[in-house]
Amino acid sequence: MKVTFLEPLGIPGEQLERMAAESLGDRAEVVFYDTRKEDVRTLIERSRDADCVVLSNFKYGREVISQCPNLKMICVAFTGVDHVDVEYCRERGILVCNCAGYSTAAVADLVFGFVIDLARNVISCDRAVREEGTKNGLVGYELEGKRFGVVGAGAIGSRVMRIARAFGCQVYGYSRTRKDIEGVEFVSLEELLKTCDIVSLHVPLNDSTRGLIGREQLGMMKKTAVLINTARGPVVDSQALAQALKDGVIAGAAVDVFEMEPPVPADHVLFGAPNLIATPHVAFASHQAFEKRAVIVCENIKRWIDGEPQNVV
């Protein structure tokens, strides 16, 4: 049995090797690569002889998988798996597991960093005080009493709902599967967009969510509302969002995700829009989250070898 870690996972290499050894013992030959390479040729070279590979969020498609005759399991050290050709894996009988839950706290934390930055004009205030300015024109609003809408009620969305309640917000949710979450009223997407002051997106990327928020949906929102996207870039039409910000259709937005993984081109359409905060897909990344992720990866592989796989996609 050969297990190949195709990239480092954000913790010291010695720590990862120790964790793998403790979980797998001598039941697998484990190979660790300390660099992240995303080109097809290198991925094939690294993966070719593996029974199991571990990777995070780079594209891992048919052109690579088809060249790996021994491959039986892909452990995605990430929550989303839209970058892996899952359909082809099903055709080949290759198991795909993810690390759901490792970044729940980290992503929710950044959501509220964004919300407070937008509500209290933190970035603009920082700029003003450095330029001998004052609070004039920069007075913001409190979260207490605001209508906070969460699209998607999975682990992250549910945590965001609970935190929003702690801030004193009126919390509304939209989900394909209606859930019973204390203090949260589930409504239609249209009603949520039309009535909420803050809209935070927490859905996976699939055929039904690609372009979920476009010109029509942005046009439903209050002019004073803000949009937060820490889900997946293509869930929102970037061109439509940029135009909505320029035209004052909504008051502001914060995005951590784009149509591609960073580095994002400097001329990306969103970077010319006002009242936008952007970060380079960092929501999931905290020291604690990386450690949690490594634990789940090792347990996923151990359970698979034991014939009791977990976190199966």
Side-chain angles (χ1 to χ4, degrees), residues 241-309:
L241 177 57
Q243 197 62 50
L245 291 167
K246 290 176 182 177
D247 294 344
V249 174
I250 64 173
V255 298
D256 181 54
V257 284
F258 300 84
E259 299 81 3
M260 72 292 292
E261 286 299 316
V264 179
D267 61 354
H268 191 280
V269 65
L270 284 175
F271 297 158
N275 302 321
L276 175 91
I277 300 172
T279 52
H281 201 180
V282 72
F284 70 94
S286 71
H287 294 302
Q288 295 92 331
F290 285 156
E291 290 183 359
K292 294 174 191 174
R293 176 172 70 170
V295 169
I296 297 172
V297 164
C298 292
E299 185 63 17
N300 280 352
I301 299 169
K302 177 181 180 295
R303 291 281 296 272
W304 169 65
I305 293 175
D306 289 342
E308 301 174 346

Side-chain angles (χ1 to χ4, degrees), residues 62-141:
R62 182 184 298 249
E63 63 272 35
V64 176
I65 300 169
S66 63
Q67 301 302 309
C68 303
N70 298 333
L71 194 57
K72 303 175 186 68
M73 193 266 213
I74 298 174
C75 184
V76 181
F78 213 62
T79 302
V81 296
D82 48 277
H83 53 291
V84 174
D85 192 333
V86 176
E87 287 304 316
Y88 182 60
C89 288
R90 290 196 179 106
E91 291 177 19
R92 283 269 311 273
I94 298 170
L95 190 73
V96 180
C97 297
N98 72 353
C99 288
Y102 82 94
S103 63
T104 299
V107 175
D109 284 357
L110 186 64
V111 167
F112 285 91
F114 280 155
V115 171
I116 292 170
D117 280 352
L118 289 167
R120 300 301 299 271
N121 300 306
V122 173
I123 293 174
S124 297
C125 283
D126 176 83
R127 187 181 308 116
V129 74
R130 293 172 188 271
E131 297 173 355
E132 302 182 13
T134 69
K135 68 181 185 301
N136 292 344
L138 297 174
V139 175
Y141 57 84

